[in-house]
Amino acid sequence: MSGMEIERKFLVRGDDFKRRAHKSYRIKQGYISSGNGRTVRVRIRDNQGFLTIKGPSLDGGLSRYEFEHEISLEEAEQLFRICEPGVIDKTRYLVSSGNHTFEVDEFYGDNEGLVIAEVELSSPDEPYEKPDFIGDEVTGDHRYYNSHLRRNPYKDWK
């Protein structure tokens, strides 16, 4: 997959999203490179590997170029050896709302207690239905980017 990724990001209230989820899976991800708004990420989702390259956002964090390619689990495990320090560990829950699916990430480890939801859109002004567990919008707030959480984990924010 490649192209422009347009998404909005929100904090999540409560844990009702778990009951409403139609699917969930564990994700471990590391960063081969991150800086200047660009990232090269390796991810293991259940038993699948992925390599993702993201470009900088030019509109306050709402959209950015994304290239993602599935790789073997063995390749992903090998690439973790060259990642920058810090790993993101989370469970992703998929929750339908209207015509969209919200991806809700519950973080573990140094980011325990943080829960963020994202919804992908086809255009910046596309309407969507917010589920009741959606809290404050944090689109464009770099603190909530996974690449930032790797370096500045949620546990250190307090």
Side-chain angles (χ1 to χ4, degrees):
M1 177 197 99
S2 65
M4 288 303 291
E5 173 189 60
I6 301 169
E7 66 183 14
R8 299 186 89 94
K9 193 177 285 210
F10 304 89
L11 296 177
V12 172
R13 297 187 297 246
D15 63 359
D16 186 49
F17 66 90
K18 292 180 184 180
R19 180 183 59 76
R20 297 179 55 186
H22 59 85
K23 186 174 185 180
S24 67
Y25 40 84
R26 194 72 177 249
I27 293 174
K28 173 185 165 188
Q29 68 189 41
Y31 289 84
I32 295 170
S33 179
S34 62
N36 298 319
R38 296 169 177 84
T39 60
V40 179
R41 174 186 79 200
V42 61
R43 173 183 279 178
I44 295 174
R45 183 179 72 206
D46 288 338
N47 290 316
Q48 295 177 283
F50 297 89
L51 182 65
T52 305
I53 301 168
K54 292 189 178 193
S57 174
L58 303 175
D59 58 3
L62 184 60
S63 63
R64 62 197 286 193
Y65 177 80
E66 179 182 89
F67 169 85
E68 185 170 75
H69 182 73
E70 186 170 352
I71 58 177
S72 72
L73 180 59
E74 182 180 325
E75 289 169 322
E77 289 169 344
Q78 292 294 324
L79 287 172
F80 264 98
R81 294 180 178 179
I82 62 168
C83 284
E84 298 170 341
V87 172
I88 297 294
D89 183 18
K90 60 189 179 180
T91 295
R92 172 162 290 169
Y93 298 86
L94 304 181
V95 181
S96 297
S97 180
N99 295 326
H100 295 89
T101 298
F102 281 76
E103 297 176 339
V104 182
D105 291 342
E106 178 180 30
F107 291 85
Y108 306 113
D110 289 344
N111 292 298
E112 183 91 29
L114 182 60
V115 184
I116 299 174
E118 298 176 352
V119 62
E120 289 198 19
L121 306 171
S122 56
S123 69
D125 58 352
E126 179 182 355
Y128 56 94
E129 295 177 35
K130 285 187 198 175
D132 56 1
F133 58 78
I134 294 297
D136 293 336
E137 184 166 4
V138 294
T139 301
D141 186 335
H142 291 49
R143 294 177 301 161
Y144 296 98
Y145 289 7
N146 286 294
S147 58
H148 186 270
L149 290 168
R150 175 191 62 76
R151 291 186 312 270
N152 301 292
Y154 186 66
K155 73 174 179 71
D156 294 340
W157 294 12
K158 297 174 173 75

